[in-house]
């Protein structure tokens, strides 16, 4: 049955929210099926044109529909992976964790780096001197300061006003939200829970 491998490729996206290793084997199988469908259509189209055999027309139309469906499935698979990478850039920053990076193709890594450069260039163009970091406040803050607990030893942290804070494991701090959010995403700080 045509299209089962393409459907399997798309259903993989629904089963897992993380970026899995690129399924090269299944993509190649879908592309091989598409090549077989195309070759069969060329042969039947030539038979229709040369021998005026219109009985082959429904077969050509069915294979053409299967070809278009497989093409949409492969493109949706690739687009979905790129969309997840774009979301990860906004959530985690410009450097992906090794467990995600190891699941990417070289082309996907290059696309991610290109997206990073474009986003950084755009953010530098905003504001006056240093640009404006759009990824800082993904949700509008209720207060400009956040109570945080340091989860691991980080060392010295210099704030925008020049104040230096030593971030040691199990210490609590009241810091500007713009400084805390990247460190919270990296797992160095966590929001202080009230007891």
């Amino acid at each position: 049955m045509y299209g089962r491998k393409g459907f399997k490729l798309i259903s993989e996206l629904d089963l897992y929210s993380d970026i899995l290793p690129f399924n090269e084997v299944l993509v190649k199988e879908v592309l091989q099926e598409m090549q077989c469908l195309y070759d069969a259509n060329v042969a039947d189209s030539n038979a229709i044109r040369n021998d005026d055999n219109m009985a082959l027309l429904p077969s050509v139309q069915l294979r053409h529909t299967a070809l278009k469906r497989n093409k949409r499935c492969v493109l949706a698979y690739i687009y979905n992976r790129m969309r997840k990478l774009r979301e990860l850039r906004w959530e985690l920053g410009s450097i992906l964790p090794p467990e995600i990076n190891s699941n990417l193709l070289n082309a996907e890594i290059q696309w991610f780096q290109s997206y990073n450069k474009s986003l950084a260039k755009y953010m530098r163009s905003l504001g006056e001197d240093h640009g404006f970091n759009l990824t800082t406040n993904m949700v509008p803050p209720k207060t400009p300061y956040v109570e945080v607990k340091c989860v691991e030893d980080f060392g010295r942290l210099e704030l925008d006003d020049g104040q230096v804070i030593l971030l040691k494991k199990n210490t609590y701090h009241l810091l500007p939200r713009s400084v805390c959010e990247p460190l919270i995403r990296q797992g160095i700080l966590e929001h202080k829970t009230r007891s």
Side-chain angles (χ1 to χ4, degrees):
M1 180 79 177
Y2 301 133
R4 287 190 185 212
K5 292 176 183 173
F7 177 74
K8 187 175 179 185
L9 193 64
I10 293 300
S11 61
E12 182 179 291
L13 297 174
D14 287 337
L15 295 176
Y16 307 102
S17 60
D18 298 335
I19 294 183
L20 297 177
F22 191 85
N23 198 337
E24 281 187 83
V25 173
L26 193 54
V27 170
K28 283 181 181 177
E29 288 176 2
V30 173
L31 294 176
Q32 287 171 352
E33 180 181 302
M34 290 173 70
Q35 186 63 48
C36 291
L37 290 169
Y38 177 78
D39 292 341
N41 268 2
V42 167
D44 284 354
S45 295
N46 288 334
I48 291 171
R49 189 177 320 120
N50 296 336
D51 303 333
D52 201 28
N53 185 358
M54 297 308 283
L56 297 173
L57 189 59
S59 299
V60 171
Q61 290 173 334
L62 175 68
R63 285 191 295 262
H64 183 71
T65 302
L67 263 169
K68 290 193 319 186
R69 183 175 187 274
N70 279 347
K71 177 182 169 185
R72 284 195 316 267
C73 289
V74 170
L75 290 175
Y77 180 75
I78 293 169
Y79 173 76
N80 193 292
R81 290 178 63 87
M82 289 173 57
R83 187 178 53 81
K84 286 181 182 178
L85 282 174
R86 186 175 58 223
E87 289 171 4
L88 288 173
R89 169 55 180 98
W90 285 84
E91 290 173 17
L92 302 177
S94 61
I95 299 173
L96 291 174
E99 61 270 10
I100 293 174
N101 219 10
S102 64
N103 291 341
L104 303 178
L105 294 175
N106 284 335
E108 291 174 319
I109 292 171
Q110 290 172 356
W111 181 87
F112 184 77
Q113 291 169 347
S114 174
Y115 184 73
N116 272 337
K117 288 177 186 174
S118 297
L119 184 60
K121 183 179 178 183
Y122 176 70
M123 289 191 296
R124 277 193 306 272
S125 73
L126 301 173
E128 295 173 15
D129 294 334
H130 303 290
F132 185 74
N133 189 354
L134 296 172
T135 63
T136 304
N137 292 323
M138 298 304 290
V139 177
K142 294 180 182 174
T143 62
Y145 290 90
V146 180
E147 289 183 80
V148 291
K149 176 184 177 185
C150 190
V151 178
E152 59 185 59
D153 289 333
F154 180 74
R156 297 165 41 110
L157 175 69
E158 185 173 346
L159 301 179
D160 294 338
D161 62 0
Q163 181 184 5
V164 177
I165 296 175
L166 184 62
L167 295 177
K168 293 183 91 175
K169 187 173 183 174
N170 296 327
T171 58
Y172 293 90
H173 304 276
L174 184 64
L175 299 173
R177 183 176 296 275
S178 61
V179 173
C180 292
E181 283 195 353
L183 296 173
I184 290 171
R185 282 188 236 137
Q186 293 173 18
I188 296 167
L189 299 176
E190 67 181 19
H191 286 283
K192 179 184 172 191
T193 55
R194 301 203 183 268
S195 25

